[in-house]
Amino acid sequence: MNVAQATPIRAGDPGLRRWWLGLVAVSFALTGCAQSVSGTPVAESAVSVRQIDGSLAELLPAPSQFPARYPAVVLPAQAATAAAADLDGVGAGATVTPAKCTPVEAEPGGEPAAVAVGTDDASRATLTVELSRSAEPVSSLRDRLGECGLIQVRRAGAGSTVTTALDRTAPTGTDDAIALRRTVVPEVGGAGLTQTMQTSIGQIGDVRITVTSMTFGAGQPDTAAVDEMFATTAAAVRGS
């Protein structure tokens, strides 16, 4: 089964919740044949950053390290790319207004992101840990997000409003970090389709750590779980 060939899911799409749960189920079936990505290619950049040894797949926390209420799986590479793109509220191929708020895309040919997702069936919430290679300082991301608190997103004819608010405090354990709360409200749909995300983002050398709790409707993100997995992931990357 090729997850990448599934119908694209838009931020705010009614099928997004089912897609997350289905993606986790598919990943269980694919776990036996997934292969780790060897090597650590880094995108070329004018900014010199320390390279962290080891592949992202090796640095990613194991499913057993997630909180017990979030049974987790490591996503295959293609599914990981799709999942990571949806966590910024924009998604691949979307048009963003203002244009300067368009997220920075990964350099082609670089090491693919490594992603693990845990799902709390009781609340239909997800807890996602993503590792990627990035030469962009967190300070640059902080500045961009500070100017992009409210953006409009259009993708495949559907629109949504994405609101991002930076927290006053940031997690520790990395070279630099930020924390933020993000909501994605679709133009069409009920209140139950609104996504709310609590995200911590940190950098150690050239490794970007992103941990996100995502809920739908009136559900509130699990900030304690985000803090726990961010600390676990930062310790693994720093100790590599």
Side-chain angles (χ1 to χ4, degrees):
M1 180 179 296
N2 189 339
V3 178
Q5 294 177 350
T7 302
I9 300 296
R10 301 182 297 271
D13 192 300
L16 182 57
R17 181 186 300 173
R18 294 191 298 273
W19 175 79
W20 274 101
L21 298 177
L23 187 58
V24 171
V26 169
S27 298
F28 276 117
L30 294 176
T31 300
C33 60
Q35 297 180 346
S36 297
V37 178
S38 60
T40 55
V42 180
E44 292 183 356
S45 173
V47 179
S48 177
V49 294
R50 176 170 55 97
Q51 181 173 322
I52 300 299
D53 294 331
S55 71
L56 297 177
E58 294 170 340
L59 298 174
L60 190 70
S64 61
Q65 293 178 277
F66 276 63
R69 62 188 176 281
Y70 292 100
V73 294
V74 176
L75 301 183
Q78 292 175 327
T81 299
D86 279 317
L87 291 177
D88 57 20
V90 176
T95 300
V96 177
T97 304
K100 68 177 182 179
C101 296
T102 303
V104 176
E105 295 185 358
E107 292 285 345
E111 182 179 5
V115 178
V117 181
T119 303
D120 180 352
D121 289 331
S123 63
R124 287 186 170 270
T126 60
L127 179 63
T128 304
V129 177
E130 175 196 354
L131 293 181
S132 59
R133 299 282 179 181
S134 177
E136 179 194 31
V138 171
S139 58
S140 296
L141 175 62
R142 181 188 294 111
D143 291 342
R144 185 170 71 252
L145 292 177
E147 298 177 351
C148 299
L150 180 66
I151 64 175
Q152 302 296 324
V153 177
R154 298 207 68 83
R155 183 181 178 197
S160 60
T161 299
V162 180
T163 304
T164 302
L166 291 169
D167 292 351
R168 293 186 177 182
T169 60
T172 59
T174 60
D175 300 341
D176 195 6
I178 59 175
L180 58 91
R181 177 67 64 98
R182 176 173 283 143
T183 59
V184 181
V185 181
E187 287 181 347
V188 179
L193 297 179
T194 296
Q195 302 169 47
T196 303
M197 292 172 270
Q198 181 69 35
T199 300
S200 289
I201 301 172
Q203 188 95 2
I204 298 177
D206 66 340
V207 174
R208 175 70 56 84
I209 300 169
T210 305
V211 181
T212 300
S213 171
M214 180 170 69
T215 61
F216 292 85
Q220 292 300 308
D222 190 341
T223 56
V226 171
D227 291 344
E228 177 181 343
M229 289 310 300
F230 187 88
T232 297
T233 307
V237 174
R238 190 169 291 284
S240 64

